[in-house]
Amino acid sequence: MVSTYNSTQNSPIARYSQDRLYEALAILGQADRELLEHFLNQKLDTDALSTQEPENHIFVLQASTLHPTYSLEDSLARELLEELERTARQRYTELHERGLGLLCRRLRAGDSHFESSLNSLFLRLAQLYYLYAPQRLLDLTQQLQDLPVTQPGTRHNILYFAALSLRKGGEHQAAIEAFDALLSKTELDDTIRAKSLNMQAICHLLVGHYAEASDKHTQSLALWQRLGDEHQQGTVLKNLGIVAYELQMLDEAERYFKQSLAICTRIGSLPGQAIAHLELGLIHRDRGDWDKALAGFTFFVDYWRSQKAWNRVGNGLTNVGEVRFFLGQFDEAEEAFHQTLQYMTTSAYRVDVLLNLGMIHLVRDAFDKAVDYFTQAHTLATEIDRRNFLPNTHYRLGYILAQLGDTSAAHTHFEASIDLIEDLRHPLQDEGMKIGLLGRWQQIYESMILLCLEQSIPETALYFVERARSRAFLDMVSSSHKLSSSKSPSHTPSQLSSLALEEPVSAREIQLHLPEDMAVIEFFVTGLPGTHTSIISNLPNESHFLRRYLLPPERLLAFVITQEFVQVFELESNVQQIQSQLFNRTDGRLRGITPKPGQRLKPMRRWQNLGDKLIRPLHQAIANKRHLTFVPHGLLHYLPLHALIDLSELTGTSQATTSYAPSASVLLKTATLEIAPAGGADFKRASLPHKSEHRPRILSIGVNEDGLAHAEAEAAWITQLFGGDTFLGQEATRTTVCQALSGYDVIHFSCHGHFQQLNPMASSLQLADGELTAGVLLETVTLQADLVILSACDTGLNELHPGDELMGLTRAFIGSGARSLLATLWPVNEIPTRLFMETFYESWLTGSTKAEAVRIAQQTVAGMSSKTVHSRLEAYGMMANEITDALALFQAMLPGAKPFDHPFYWGGFVLIGSPD
């Protein structure tokens, strides 16, 4: 039977203090007379409890002849619990502890009737401990490990909070294993599974398993969406944002945080709103928007202070202190950090606070105190296995030891920091995560490189240069060349078996694989803000001096590597000067390479001046070298380094050739070099064979779209000269081309090219039915090509991501398996481009290397007379009036006998990858 008691009636139940009885039933959920008496610690009148008031469903009696039990109507029970937690949390906690003890006693005595009540009570108490007393959560779950429960859900909840207690205690790997054990249970409820995935993801993040963290959060979000729980969706979206933020993917992080805030605002979740405001505050902080950052942090602190959730208050105050630090308000920052240490009970986040206190003492030149705080942070991070913080603690200790003159100890700490970063990076599969992780810690690599130069060990410095740059690109190239080699052994890079394919190479390994007449010129820039650009640029005048503590000094270095030596030059110019002098502020393009038709081309005096600063100081190191491979860094990727100075005059060799590479390691993965017996090397010539020999497989693609008149003719000429296959005009569709690319040794595109700076992997080649993007190429095509030629505009431009990662068509083709790529650094005119390409192929056909053929083509086009150009255009079948108009246009842009003598017409062509 079901009976009710009317609380407003003058019934016998009132003598037992109605409020206390209702509290007991709200806490216990369901209770018999004995349980109530033990909970209330007083006898109850059984006759009074059985009085019936059926008109008001407040007090419910579930009666049977053997076991009558009592409960409150659900909505009233929830209301009482919420009120009690809000107004008397200590009493709320004590009542739950008392109730749980009584229910456990009944269960251990063999009475499973109240297991559901125990499960509900345990969940509330465990969540309370998790938020406000995490140190008590582990004790609680350990006490319940052997509880004889019969319902899987109860056992799973205990196991869930046991794993959660390990996480709160800083035992992150143990927590991951505990969650794994729980998630392996097939009968696991979807709600517990979703919660477990989310919390396990947090543990993965704390130990630096970024890919696993993202994957687990994504799985959790999908479950919460299926369950229709918006509150939990908001929580997981916030956590996905945190993963993105840790990898410095700020736009993605901001998108997740805003989605989380929108959900929490819609459902009225103040805790969720507070957390979202905190996370968005971090984005504002990193972008140098101090007022918005402080507003977000203050919202968070104020809310949790009202809830007396001191651990969370400490989290918020940490961020407030960091903003005060950046603003130069060091006393206020220090006060906030010390308050944080008083409030915060979670060890994982105390590492942050200790590092921050160390920074305050560092900028005050109180080195002893700084070392003490950095050491405390390092010790704590080690104890709790906080691997994503250990690189910072090593770095800070190394930095201050270097300042104190102990370069050996500093070297040890920097190297340990970099090794830890590599350990975090190694398991990542997602390229964006790899790039973000390495970009976040570039200053550590840069500090190590500068320290190695101070210690006079340039070979070691070069090794760390290679470890710092284009690592995701290197992984991609290594993987694609493995796949390509398995399909076509003729394209296996010889003598590279000793090089770990995914690892950067050492200076000695580079030297062993260089020909005697070749030098690699590898540039490296230190001290650029990178992911900290907004913070550095928005520092107020009074705290601008913080830059030297946040970043290494700005240096422009040039490493020259030959068989005989590794030599380092510190160049007078710097990247900021180069940018202001040679690049447009509006579009970021190199000045002078986008003239309007008929506009007079400007002399390249600034280019020549830059050549004197960047390359001339290297002249002794590159003397007698016939080939130079440039490895640019940062902004230098946009410069035609080969056109800044007369390299043949500088090297003392006639007809010096050049090529480019994203890194020396990528060069060795793509180049085919053979080690000579004496330790020297020669290029393994890979020139096109003569007509009597076996011909390479060639594919030419030409599309005359949007005003082009020579693209299809250029592609047809190549096929006519070499044989092979051609897709012209409407035949050249994206599907047709992509399906065909993997079967050719030489691939030639003649069409429009488009560089998308805001979305570089959307950079494209214009085919008959639309744009073939870099992203599609990279995802769908595996190449065996020895050379890909992009006779189109802007195809060699790349957006630079953290860690000097090149994003664009270069990444797409070299990353898909091509050994080399001939591309352009700016918009090129199609007539001199056609002349260039024909000369290139004719030279390559007769046995020149690719690099030699590029030089010959450049010199030939530059030296062509107007008469020669006229004759070539006639041979192309152009009408007389078209030839006259074209030559008049070229004459207006560059008066004189040689219409293409200006580097605008030939300097933009660069050979990337293998030069042979």
Side-chain angles (χ1 to χ4, degrees):
M1 61 179 288
V2 177
S3 299
T4 64
Y5 280 74
N6 185 344
S7 63
T8 63
Q9 300 293 324
N10 185 20
S11 64
I13 193 67
R15 76 181 68 168
Y16 301 111
S17 177
Q18 181 176 288
D19 290 343
R20 289 188 62 212
L21 180 60
Y22 281 15
E23 274 184 356
L25 288 170
I27 298 293
L28 295 169
Q30 190 181 47
D32 57 16
R33 181 181 61 80
E34 181 184 358
L35 190 56
L36 281 170
E37 287 180 342
H38 280 99
F39 188 90
L40 294 170
N41 197 26
Q42 68 178 107
K43 286 288 185 178
L44 297 177
D45 189 329
T46 304
D47 293 336
L49 283 173
S50 63
T51 303
Q52 300 180 33
E53 297 287 352
E55 71 278 3
N56 192 319
H57 293 271
I58 293 177
F59 188 50
V60 183
L61 169 66
Q62 302 286 346
S64 70
T65 55
L66 296 177
H67 210 132
T69 60
Y70 306 88
S71 64
L72 292 183
E73 194 271 336
D74 287 345
S75 62
L76 176 59
R78 284 195 300 271
E79 182 181 336
L80 288 174
L81 288 170
E82 290 171 2
E83 176 70 15
L84 186 60
E85 183 181 16
R86 183 172 63 252
T87 61
R89 183 179 298 148
Q90 183 62 34
R91 177 170 172 75
Y92 176 86
T93 304
E94 291 172 354
L95 291 176
H96 274 75
E97 291 169 344
R98 185 190 306 173
L100 185 65
L102 292 170
L103 291 172
C104 287
R105 192 182 308 162
R106 293 288 285 266
L107 218 61
R108 294 185 193 282
D111 184 357
S112 62
H113 188 79
F114 296 104
E115 185 174 329
S116 295
S117 295
L118 180 144
N119 186 34
S120 298
L121 193 154
F122 166 75
L123 286 175
R124 292 194 301 272
L125 182 59
Q127 186 64 28
L128 194 72
Y129 282 171
Y130 176 73
L131 289 175
Y132 304 109
Q135 67 278 9
R136 299 170 70 178
L137 183 58
L138 180 60
D139 292 338
L140 175 65
T141 55
Q142 288 178 340
Q143 292 169 12
L144 301 184
Q145 286 294 324
D146 62 346
L147 197 65
V149 297
T150 60
Q151 300 172 13
T154 306
R155 173 62 60 199
H156 296 160
N157 280 327
I158 295 171
L159 293 175
Y160 167 77
F161 277 100
L164 208 57
S165 69
L166 293 171
R167 181 259 175 188
K168 274 289 188 178
E171 299 181 53
H172 305 119
Q173 190 57 47
I176 289 171
E177 295 169 3
F179 280 122
D180 272 336
L182 179 57
L183 289 165
S184 68
K185 299 184 181 302
T186 56
E187 73 277 18
L188 193 65
D189 178 79
D190 277 350
T191 298
I192 302 177
R193 185 174 298 278
K195 291 195 297 183
S196 298
L197 285 165
N198 181 55
M199 286 300 176
Q200 187 186 44
I202 293 173
C203 296
H204 277 299
L205 178 64
L206 291 173
V207 297
H209 300 164
Y210 298 96
E212 291 87 342
S214 181
D215 178 60
K216 300 295 184 182
H217 280 318
T218 301
Q219 291 182 48
S220 177
L221 180 61
L223 278 173
W224 290 124
Q225 288 171 336
R226 193 172 76 194
L227 293 167
D229 191 323
E230 286 195 299
H231 173 78
Q232 293 292 348
Q233 289 174 45
T235 298
V236 180
L237 283 166
K238 176 264 297 180
N239 290 338
L240 279 165
I242 291 173
V243 177
Y245 176 81
E246 284 287 306
L247 295 167
Q248 289 298 290
M249 302 161 68
L250 297 188
D251 290 341
E252 184 175 340
E254 183 178 28
R255 184 169 64 253
Y256 281 128
F257 294 149
K258 285 184 174 179
Q259 290 174 0
S260 176
L261 179 59
I263 288 177
C264 293
T265 301
R266 184 171 62 249
I267 65 176
S269 170
L270 285 174
Q273 292 177 57
I275 294 171
H277 277 295
L278 175 85
E279 303 300 346
L280 285 168
L282 294 174
I283 300 290
H284 294 312
R285 181 200 66 185
D286 286 8
R287 290 175 174 162
D289 195 337
W290 311 117
D291 290 340
K292 286 185 178 179
L294 281 174
F297 299 152
T298 302
F299 185 102
F300 178 89
V301 169
D302 289 347
Y303 173 76
W304 290 110
R305 199 188 296 275
S306 72
Q307 301 299 304
K308 295 182 174 57
W310 304 118
N311 202 54
R312 289 182 179 266
V313 171
N315 285 337
L317 287 173
T318 299
N319 295 304
V320 170
E322 288 176 352
V323 171
R324 298 297 181 196
F325 174 80
F326 289 128
L327 294 175
Q329 301 166 4
F330 301 129
D331 290 342
E332 294 91 335
E334 185 175 12
E335 181 181 357
F337 294 141
H338 281 299
Q339 286 183 37
T340 297
L341 290 178
Q342 293 174 7
Y343 289 134
M344 190 173 286
T345 57
T346 304
S347 297
Y349 299 110
R350 292 174 69 89
V351 179
D352 249 337
V353 186
L354 294 168
L355 279 172
N356 287 328
L357 284 167
M359 287 298 295
I360 287 177
H361 290 291
L362 178 63
V363 301
R364 290 171 171 166
D365 292 332
F367 287 168
D368 289 344
K369 288 185 177 180
V371 168
D372 181 55
Y373 277 117
F374 291 151
T375 302
Q376 288 183 54
H378 180 72
T379 302
L380 181 57
T382 303
E383 288 175 353
I384 64 176
D385 196 27
R386 190 78 192 272
R387 275 172 262 175
N388 62 333
F389 264 81
L390 282 170
N392 274 335
T393 61
H394 274 296
Y395 171 58
R396 283 301 162 196
L397 284 167
Y399 174 89
I400 201 165
L401 288 167
Q403 301 304 305
L404 293 170
D406 192 346
T407 56
S408 177
H411 188 112
T412 299
H413 276 291
F414 285 158
E415 187 164 15
S417 179
I418 291 171
D419 287 343
L420 283 162
I421 295 167
E422 301 284 345
D423 289 343
L424 294 173
R425 177 191 171 279
H426 181 73
L428 295 179
Q429 299 298 316
D430 181 83
E431 186 174 65
M433 290 184 177
K434 291 181 180 181
I435 293 171
L437 182 69
L438 210 60
R440 172 187 173 189
W441 282 315
Q442 274 295 291
Q443 74 275 15
I444 301 178
Y445 289 85
E446 294 172 12
S447 297
M448 181 59 152
I449 291 161
L450 294 176
L451 182 66
C452 289
L453 296 180
E454 184 181 339
Q455 295 174 304
S456 300
I457 44 177
E459 296 83 2
T460 306
L462 177 62
Y463 177 58
F464 284 105
V465 166
E466 285 294 305
R467 291 179 73 173
R469 67 187 308 158
S470 299
R471 294 294 302 282
F473 198 168
L474 176 61
D475 289 345
M476 184 189 309
V477 169
S478 299
S479 176
S480 66
H481 279 263
K482 281 182 184 176
L483 184 58
S484 176
S485 298
S486 68
K487 291 184 176 182
S488 179
S490 63
H491 287 284
T492 304
S494 63
Q495 301 297 331
L496 298 183
S497 58
S498 64
L499 305 181
L501 279 176
E502 290 82 9
E503 294 301 317
V505 295
S506 67
R508 185 58 184 153
E509 287 169 329
I510 298 170
Q511 291 178 289
L512 285 173
H513 292 83
L514 288 184
E516 183 179 359
D517 60 354
M518 177 178 174
V520 174
I521 301 174
E522 181 154 6
F523 293 96
F524 194 79
V525 183
T526 69
L528 294 183
T531 56
H532 304 290
T533 297
S534 294
I535 288 180
I536 299 298
S537 61
N538 286 287
L539 287 174
N541 291 334
E542 57 269 24
S543 60
H544 191 70
F545 73 95
L546 288 175
R547 185 195 184 285
R548 70 174 180 265
Y549 298 102
L550 301 173
L551 296 173
E554 187 173 345
R555 301 282 187 270
L556 176 52
L557 307 171
F559 291 77
V560 179
I561 309 105
T562 68
Q563 274 190 16
E564 300 85 12
F565 56 75
V566 174
Q567 196 168 345
V568 187
F569 298 81
E570 184 173 334
L571 304 173
E572 291 183 4
S573 189
N574 64 56
V575 170
Q576 293 183 10
Q577 291 173 342
I578 294 171
Q579 185 170 28
S580 64
Q581 293 173 4
L582 269 74
F583 289 81
N584 295 324
R585 291 183 180 181
T586 52
D587 59 7
R589 279 188 174 274
L590 191 63
R591 290 176 182 171
I593 49 82
T594 55
K596 295 179 181 178
Q599 181 181 354
R600 182 75 173 267
L601 293 172
K602 296 179 180 180
M604 295 288 101
R605 294 191 186 94
R606 287 181 175 173
W607 287 22
Q608 294 167 354
N609 291 337
L610 186 59
D612 288 338
K613 293 180 179 180
L614 288 184
I615 303 173
R616 187 170 297 281
L618 318 179
H619 71 281
Q620 290 185 343
I622 60 177
N624 302 317
K625 301 303 177 186
R626 290 185 175 275
H627 182 80
L628 305 176
T629 292
F630 290 110
V631 181
H633 191 232
L635 198 67
L636 304 188
H637 283 288
Y638 299 114
L639 293 175
L641 295 168
H642 60 280
L644 301 183
I645 199 167
D646 185 339
L647 293 173
S648 292
E649 178 268 331
L650 196 65
T651 61
T653 62
S654 61
Q655 314 302 328
T657 60
T658 61
S659 63
Y660 292 76
S663 70
S665 298
V666 171
L667 172 66
L668 292 194
K669 300 301 188 268
T670 58
T672 304
L673 305 175
E674 292 184 335
I675 299 177
D682 288 310
F683 283 122
K684 180 183 178 183
R685 300 288 177 176
S687 55
L688 293 177
H690 293 280
K691 294 183 179 181
S692 60
E693 301 175 12
H694 175 70
R695 289 191 171 278
R697 298 162 295 174
I698 299 175
L699 174 64
S700 297
I701 300 140
V703 180
N704 285 347
E705 290 281 345
D706 299 328
L708 289 182
H710 293 265
E712 293 177 17
E714 178 180 304
W717 177 87
I718 294 167
T719 303
Q720 183 179 5
L721 185 65
F722 298 133
D725 299 316
T726 306
F727 295 138
L728 300 178
Q730 295 305 309
E731 297 175 333
T733 65
R734 288 171 292 182
T735 300
T736 301
V737 169
C738 284
Q739 290 176 345
L741 289 178
S742 62
Y744 293 91
D745 303 308
V746 180
I747 302 167
H748 182 99
F749 284 90
S750 183
C751 57
H752 276 301
H754 306 287
F755 173 60
Q756 303 291 342
Q757 186 171 17
L758 296 179
N759 185 11
M761 296 312 288
S763 299
S764 62
L765 300 167
Q766 183 70 45
L767 299 184
D769 60 343
E771 296 181 344
L772 177 58
T773 68
V776 169
L777 281 163
L778 200 54
E779 291 173 3
T780 61
V781 175
T782 300
L783 299 176
Q784 303 177 48
D786 180 55
L787 175 64
V788 175
I789 296 178
L790 304 181
S791 181
C793 298
D794 290 340
T795 51
L797 291 181
N798 295 274
E799 178 66 8
L800 303 177
H801 281 210
D804 208 49
E805 294 286 351
L806 306 181
M807 307 299 289
L809 288 167
T810 298
R811 192 179 201 84
F813 282 104
I814 300 293
S816 295
R819 292 182 58 240
S820 53
L821 177 72
L822 182 55
T824 59
L825 291 177
W826 53 71
V828 290
N829 184 283
E830 65 172 332
I831 289 176
T833 295
R834 183 176 178 184
L835 296 170
F836 177 97
M837 291 299 168
E838 289 177 357
T839 307
F840 170 83
Y841 277 107
E842 288 169 345
S843 300
W844 197 23
L845 177 65
T846 58
S848 298
T849 66
K850 290 172 246 178
E852 289 168 345
V854 169
R855 175 187 50 75
I856 292 168
Q858 289 172 335
Q859 292 178 340
T860 300
V861 170
M864 278 186 176
S865 66
S866 296
K867 183 178 179 179
T868 301
V869 174
H870 190 285
S871 299
R872 296 288 290 268
L873 297 184
E874 280 186 331
Y876 290 161
M878 290 179 64
M879 303 293 291
N881 64 320
E882 294 176 330
I883 296 174
T884 299
D885 290 343
L887 289 175
L889 179 69
F890 297 138
Q891 185 69 27
M893 296 182 73
L894 186 68
K898 299 177 180 180
F900 303 135
D901 192 35
H902 194 284
F904 166 71
Y905 292 110
W906 51 265
F909 295 97
V910 291
L911 179 65
I912 304 166
S914 175
D916 58 296

